[in-house]
Amino acid sequence: SISRLLYLLQQETSSTELRTECAVVLGSLAMGTENNVKSLLDCHIIPALLQGLLSPDLKFIEACLRCLRTIFISPVTPEDLLYTDATVISHLMALLSRSRYTQEYICQIFSHCCKGPDHQTILFNHGAVQNIAHLLVSTSYKVRMQALKCFSFLAFENPQVSMTLVNVSVDGELLPQIFVKMLQRDKPIEMQLTSAKCLTSMCRAGAIRTDDSCIVLKTLPCLVRMCSKERLLEERVEGAETLAYLIETDVELQRIASITDHLIVMLADYFKYPSSVSAITDIKRLDHDLKHAHELRQAAFKLYASLGANDEDIRKKIIETENMMDRIVNGLSESSIKVRLAAVRCLHSLSRSVQQLRTSFQDHAVWKPLMKVLQNAPNEILVVASSTLCNLLLEFSPSKEPILESGAIELLCSLTQSENLALRVNGIWALMNMAFQAEQKIKSDILRGLSTEQLFQLLSDSDVNVLMKTLGLLRNLLSTRPHIDHIMSTHGKQIMQAVTLILEGEHNIEVKEQTLCILANIADGTTAKELIMTNDDILQKIKYYMSHSNAKLQLAAMFCISNLIWNEEEGSQERQDKLRDMGIVDILHKLSQSSDPNLCDK
């Protein structure tokens, strides 16, 4: 039984041969099912094996490490078990020099237990970079490969590690040069892919420039090669995902990738699994294809999203690829949440194109599945889907009408109440886009849907982005005279309160300027202007901002004044008299001497 084997393994009095055999048998058991591994973990096998590493006998140490490696590779083993005792990591670093087997197994253990920044930092602080670097030139392929994998996990999304790697050299050669040698075509695929991942992480961390030849001429072409039909499905998934990450934020790399080896067409093939031909002939192959089909689609969507992030021509090419819009629309309703998220990302990237919003997005009624995705999706999908909706609601998008009819206002108003900041911003942003040059009914529906309480809640939000978008919404609601008068007749008191609140608060120039512009819009109304003229507090604030040190605020305040005093409008004489009595004319005289030409003219 397991407990008997563990007992013998830990007996100092057992012969080393017997203890080594026990470690080998336990390692074989660990190679079985996940339940086997769970049973071993329940019997506290990890502390027993770690204790064994203190033995002076190398063969026994290697057997313990091999067994530990097998256990840590299993998905049921918590990585944190390696980090419960700090001395373990130091001891493993010291054992790296003992033999090529200790090197191979320890690097493998580190790779499997390096999940996220906390683990990376612990390994980094224990000297992982210095201790593992020289293994990249080991005579053993397995050691080289495991050391390389270790670096790919250490450097992933970690600027500290990446910045260090750039300056490390082994036998007079810098690590980036060693990685570049490892991604040459004559090297095994696994080695090419892993070194490309290391260089990608270093590039994204800013340790290597995006226009460096090792990225443009080596890493990028290597990753494009990994996407070709000749590669295994899992290699194509990893290649596409890594490439998507490499080019995600750099428009030049996006352009280069888009014209390398017909990549855009090559990716269309990712949607053709499982292929119908092999369906009956090879059940095992079908099973494998099915397993990878989700991952392939997810990877293709991610890469298309990165490729189309900035360049209009690339977006056009992507959309013109066979059945692309249908594939995205299907992706939005897939059972796999990862595929759904990647499809929404892809759609979001393409929705930045005015041209596509007017054509393909319209032809395929993309808004329908998008609205469906927005019903009770998890937050990470909601954030991207609501960003996409913001674009579909821009005034030139033909999808605007049908979206409104399908209950969008209610949905967006509920997003503005979310705990999640990104969702609040997107909800209010989409409403702002919706209100732009909209008809009065839509504007009234938005105000009804939001409620005055919620409007005040948003205007006192701690995030300046939410505040600016809410002011933008108010400004869009209060445009064109009949609308201004209508809205101010129903919500005037609350809106004037809100304006006062913000002009009195501690806010930046942009926020105050936007608020004064809202006042200028109100001043443009026929009946609405009375709400300003009868509010001495607000008039004093406008006067104050006319003499402010910031020219933007002075200009905005003068817009309010000019909208109040048009000669053609009824009551203009009384308004002019009241403002003259307040000393506004004296300020205008002073401003006409201003060195700022804009202020002077106004």
Side-chain angles (χ1 to χ4, degrees), residues 387-411:
S387 277
T388 312
L389 193 61
C390 284
N391 293 342
L392 290 180
L393 286 168
L394 288 161
E395 80 279 10
F396 47 71
S397 162
S399 313
K400 193 168 172 174
E401 291 306 310
I403 290 175
L404 285 169
E405 285 153 25
S406 66
I409 292 181
E410 202 180 340
L411 179 106

mmCIF file of all heavy atoms in Angstrom, residues 387-411:
data_model
loop_
_atom_site.group_PDB
_atom_site.id
_atom_site.type_symbol
_atom_site.label_atom_id
_atom_site.label_comp_id
_atom_site.label_asym_id
_atom_site.label_seq_id
_atom_site.Cartn_x
_atom_site.Cartn_y
_atom_site.Cartn_z
ATOM 1 N N SER A 387 -18.216 47.433 -24.693
ATOM 2 C CA SER A 387 -17.363 48.336 -25.483
ATOM 3 C C SER A 387 -17.746 48.284 -26.953
ATOM 4 O O SER A 387 -17.752 49.294 -27.651
ATOM 5 C CB SER A 387 -15.888 47.924 -25.389
ATOM 6 O OG SER A 387 -15.320 48.434 -24.239
ATOM 7 N N THR A 388 -18.033 47.058 -27.420
ATOM 8 C CA THR A 388 -18.423 46.884 -28.819
ATOM 9 C C THR A 388 -19.753 47.587 -29.069
ATOM 10 O O THR A 388 -19.946 48.254 -30.087
ATOM 11 C CB THR A 388 -18.553 45.375 -29.146
ATOM 12 O OG1 THR A 388 -17.391 44.701 -28.669
ATOM 13 C CG2 THR A 388 -18.673 45.141 -30.642
ATOM 14 N N LEU A 389 -20.664 47.440 -28.107
ATOM 15 C CA LEU A 389 -21.972 48.078 -28.229
ATOM 16 C C LEU A 389 -21.823 49.602 -28.324
ATOM 17 O O LEU A 389 -22.524 50.257 -29.095
ATOM 18 C CB LEU A 389 -22.856 47.695 -27.032
ATOM 19 C CG LEU A 389 -24.334 48.014 -27.163
ATOM 20 C CD1 LEU A 389 -24.958 47.281 -28.348
ATOM 21 C CD2 LEU A 389 -25.085 47.643 -25.893
ATOM 22 N N CYS A 390 -20.869 50.166 -27.560
ATOM 23 C CA CYS A 390 -20.606 51.615 -27.652
ATOM 24 C C CYS A 390 -20.344 52.016 -29.096
ATOM 25 O O CYS A 390 -20.845 53.025 -29.585
ATOM 26 C CB CYS A 390 -19.374 51.999 -26.822
ATOM 27 S SG CYS A 390 -19.662 52.047 -25.058
ATOM 28 N N ASN A 391 -19.532 51.213 -29.800
ATOM 29 C CA ASN A 391 -19.209 51.533 -31.196
ATOM 30 C C ASN A 391 -20.420 51.375 -32.108
ATOM 31 O O ASN A 391 -20.614 52.143 -33.046
ATOM 32 C CB ASN A 391 -18.060 50.654 -31.694
ATOM 33 C CG ASN A 391 -16.753 50.964 -30.976
ATOM 34 O OD1 ASN A 391 -16.624 52.020 -30.378
ATOM 35 N ND2 ASN A 391 -15.802 50.056 -31.022
ATOM 36 N N LEU A 392 -21.247 50.363 -31.829
ATOM 37 C CA LEU A 392 -22.432 50.140 -32.671
ATOM 38 C C LEU A 392 -23.490 51.227 -32.460
ATOM 39 O O LEU A 392 -24.432 51.333 -33.236
ATOM 40 C CB LEU A 392 -23.059 48.776 -32.363
ATOM 41 C CG LEU A 392 -22.279 47.538 -32.809
ATOM 42 C CD1 LEU A 392 -23.020 46.273 -32.431
ATOM 43 C CD2 LEU A 392 -22.054 47.547 -34.303
ATOM 44 N N LEU A 393 -23.328 52.005 -31.381
ATOM 45 C CA LEU A 393 -24.313 53.048 -31.098
ATOM 46 C C LEU A 393 -23.868 54.435 -31.567
ATOM 47 O O LEU A 393 -24.532 55.425 -31.307
ATOM 48 C CB LEU A 393 -24.613 53.100 -29.598
ATOM 49 C CG LEU A 393 -25.475 51.942 -29.091
ATOM 50 C CD1 LEU A 393 -25.477 51.896 -27.574
ATOM 51 C CD2 LEU A 393 -26.900 52.055 -29.614
ATOM 52 N N LEU A 394 -22.713 54.505 -32.230
ATOM 53 C CA LEU A 394 -22.279 55.801 -32.753
ATOM 54 C C LEU A 394 -23.259 56.274 -33.818
ATOM 55 O O LEU A 394 -23.896 55.459 -34.488
ATOM 56 C CB LEU A 394 -20.865 55.687 -33.331
ATOM 57 C CG LEU A 394 -19.791 55.519 -32.236
ATOM 58 C CD1 LEU A 394 -18.511 54.963 -32.815
ATOM 59 C CD2 LEU A 394 -19.527 56.844 -31.544
ATOM 60 N N GLU A 395 -23.346 57.597 -34.009
ATOM 61 C CA GLU A 395 -24.452 58.122 -34.813
ATOM 62 C C GLU A 395 -24.464 57.622 -36.251
ATOM 63 O O GLU A 395 -25.490 57.529 -36.884
ATOM 64 C CB GLU A 395 -24.480 59.656 -34.769
ATOM 65 C CG GLU A 395 -23.507 60.354 -35.688
ATOM 66 C CD GLU A 395 -22.090 60.436 -35.128
ATOM 67 O OE1 GLU A 395 -21.790 59.793 -34.098
ATOM 68 O OE2 GLU A 395 -21.299 61.145 -35.726
ATOM 69 N N PHE A 396 -23.274 57.272 -36.777
ATOM 70 C CA PHE A 396 -23.263 56.858 -38.194
ATOM 71 C C PHE A 396 -23.522 55.365 -38.360
ATOM 72 O O PHE A 396 -23.473 54.827 -39.440
ATOM 73 C CB PHE A 396 -21.914 57.216 -38.838
ATOM 74 C CG PHE A 396 -20.746 56.805 -38.005
ATOM 75 C CD1 PHE A 396 -20.412 55.467 -37.856
ATOM 76 C CD2 PHE A 396 -19.997 57.756 -37.330
ATOM 77 C CE1 PHE A 396 -19.351 55.086 -37.058
ATOM 78 C CE2 PHE A 396 -18.922 57.375 -36.534
ATOM 79 C CZ PHE A 396 -18.604 56.038 -36.401
ATOM 80 N N SER A 397 -23.761 54.665 -37.243
ATOM 81 C CA SER A 397 -23.949 53.217 -37.347
ATOM 82 C C SER A 397 -25.416 52.892 -37.582
ATOM 83 O O SER A 397 -26.277 53.261 -36.792
ATOM 84 C CB SER A 397 -23.473 52.547 -36.064
ATOM 85 O OG SER A 397 -24.018 51.257 -35.971
ATOM 86 N N PRO A 398 -25.707 52.167 -38.670
ATOM 87 C CA PRO A 398 -27.107 51.842 -38.956
ATOM 88 C C PRO A 398 -27.714 50.887 -37.935
ATOM 89 O O PRO A 398 -28.926 50.714 -37.900
ATOM 90 C CB PRO A 398 -27.065 51.188 -40.337
ATOM 91 C CG PRO A 398 -25.646 51.164 -40.764
ATOM 92 C CD PRO A 398 -24.779 51.610 -39.646
ATOM 93 N N SER A 399 -26.888 50.264 -37.092
ATOM 94 C CA SER A 399 -27.435 49.315 -36.098
ATOM 95 C C SER A 399 -28.129 50.052 -34.958
ATOM 96 O O SER A 399 -28.782 49.430 -34.124
ATOM 97 C CB SER A 399 -26.329 48.452 -35.495
ATOM 98 O OG SER A 399 -25.498 47.930 -36.482
ATOM 99 N N LYS A 400 -27.945 51.374 -34.893
ATOM 100 C CA LYS A 400 -28.432 52.130 -33.729
ATOM 101 C C LYS A 400 -29.930 51.915 -33.494
ATOM 102 O O LYS A 400 -30.352 51.624 -32.372
ATOM 103 C CB LYS A 400 -28.121 53.608 -33.947
ATOM 104 C CG LYS A 400 -28.286 54.457 -32.723
ATOM 105 C CD LYS A 400 -27.686 55.845 -32.949
ATOM 106 C CE LYS A 400 -28.014 56.777 -31.805
ATOM 107 N NZ LYS A 400 -27.337 58.070 -31.921
ATOM 108 N N GLU A 401 -30.738 52.028 -34.559
ATOM 109 C CA GLU A 401 -32.193 51.899 -34.402
ATOM 110 C C GLU A 401 -32.629 50.554 -33.823
ATOM 111 O O GLU A 401 -33.260 50.496 -32.772
ATOM 112 C CB GLU A 401 -32.901 52.145 -35.750
ATOM 113 C CG GLU A 401 -32.831 53.578 -36.229
ATOM 114 C CD GLU A 401 -33.336 54.576 -35.196
ATOM 115 O OE1 GLU A 401 -34.445 54.370 -34.668
ATOM 116 O OE2 GLU A 401 -32.611 55.549 -34.895
ATOM 117 N N PRO A 402 -32.267 49.440 -34.526
ATOM 118 C CA PRO A 402 -32.728 48.144 -33.996
ATOM 119 C C PRO A 402 -32.224 47.841 -32.593
ATOM 120 O O PRO A 402 -32.913 47.189 -31.817
ATOM 121 C CB PRO A 402 -32.180 47.122 -34.995
ATOM 122 C CG PRO A 402 -31.181 47.825 -35.823
ATOM 123 C CD PRO A 402 -31.540 49.272 -35.800
ATOM 124 N N ILE A 403 -31.041 48.319 -32.246
ATOM 125 C CA ILE A 403 -30.530 48.064 -30.891
ATOM 126 C C ILE A 403 -31.458 48.720 -29.866
ATOM 127 O O ILE A 403 -31.776 48.146 -28.828
ATOM 128 C CB ILE A 403 -29.093 48.600 -30.721
ATOM 129 C CG1 ILE A 403 -28.110 47.760 -31.543
ATOM 130 C CG2 ILE A 403 -28.667 48.572 -29.265
ATOM 131 C CD1 ILE A 403 -26.693 48.274 -31.551
ATOM 132 N N LEU A 404 -31.882 49.945 -30.191
ATOM 133 C CA LEU A 404 -32.764 50.664 -29.269
ATOM 134 C C LEU A 404 -34.055 49.902 -29.042
ATOM 135 O O LEU A 404 -34.581 49.831 -27.938
ATOM 136 C CB LEU A 404 -33.099 52.040 -29.843
ATOM 137 C CG LEU A 404 -31.964 53.050 -29.744
ATOM 138 C CD1 LEU A 404 -32.275 54.277 -30.559
ATOM 139 C CD2 LEU A 404 -31.765 53.431 -28.285
ATOM 140 N N GLU A 405 -34.568 49.304 -30.138
ATOM 141 C CA GLU A 405 -35.848 48.610 -30.023
ATOM 142 C C GLU A 405 -35.727 47.313 -29.237
ATOM 143 O O GLU A 405 -36.712 46.750 -28.799
ATOM 144 C CB GLU A 405 -36.410 48.337 -31.435
ATOM 145 C CG GLU A 405 -36.968 49.596 -32.084
ATOM 146 C CD GLU A 405 -36.917 49.564 -33.606
ATOM 147 O OE1 GLU A 405 -36.904 48.440 -34.167
ATOM 148 O OE2 GLU A 405 -36.862 50.637 -34.223
ATOM 149 N N SER A 406 -34.491 46.827 -29.066
ATOM 150 C CA SER A 406 -34.370 45.522 -28.396
ATOM 151 C C SER A 406 -34.013 45.656 -26.918
ATOM 152 O O SER A 406 -33.387 44.773 -26.345
ATOM 153 C CB SER A 406 -33.323 44.676 -29.111
ATOM 154 O OG SER A 406 -32.061 45.279 -28.959
ATOM 155 N N GLY A 407 -34.393 46.778 -26.313
ATOM 156 C CA GLY A 407 -34.228 46.889 -24.854
ATOM 157 C C GLY A 407 -32.856 47.316 -24.387
ATOM 158 O O GLY A 407 -32.442 47.011 -23.272
ATOM 159 N N ALA A 408 -32.119 48.027 -25.249
ATOM 160 C CA ALA A 408 -30.745 48.400 -24.894
ATOM 161 C C ALA A 408 -30.697 49.412 -23.750
ATOM 162 O O ALA A 408 -29.809 49.345 -22.904
ATOM 163 C CB ALA A 408 -30.027 48.956 -26.111
ATOM 164 N N ILE A 409 -31.657 50.349 -23.724
ATOM 165 C CA ILE A 409 -31.575 51.411 -22.710
ATOM 166 C C ILE A 409 -31.594 50.818 -21.303
ATOM 167 O O ILE A 409 -30.762 51.134 -20.450
ATOM 168 C CB ILE A 409 -32.717 52.442 -22.895
ATOM 169 C CG1 ILE A 409 -32.490 53.211 -24.201
ATOM 170 C CG2 ILE A 409 -32.780 53.400 -21.700
ATOM 171 C CD1 ILE A 409 -33.519 54.267 -24.515
ATOM 172 N N GLU A 410 -32.531 49.905 -21.098
ATOM 173 C CA GLU A 410 -32.660 49.248 -19.792
ATOM 174 C C GLU A 410 -31.361 48.530 -19.423
ATOM 175 O O GLU A 410 -30.839 48.648 -18.310
ATOM 176 C CB GLU A 410 -33.787 48.222 -19.922
ATOM 177 C CG GLU A 410 -34.428 47.811 -18.636
ATOM 178 C CD GLU A 410 -35.541 46.788 -18.906
ATOM 179 O OE1 GLU A 410 -36.028 46.712 -20.070
ATOM 180 O OE2 GLU A 410 -35.892 46.058 -17.978
ATOM 181 N N LEU A 411 -30.827 47.789 -20.408
ATOM 182 C CA LEU A 411 -29.602 47.023 -20.184
ATOM 183 C C LEU A 411 -28.444 47.949 -19.801
ATOM 184 O O LEU A 411 -27.698 47.693 -18.854
ATOM 185 C CB LEU A 411 -29.261 46.253 -21.469
ATOM 186 C CG LEU A 411 -28.005 45.426 -21.399
ATOM 187 C CD1 LEU A 411 -28.380 43.961 -21.301
ATOM 188 C CD2 LEU A 411 -27.116 45.624 -22.595
#
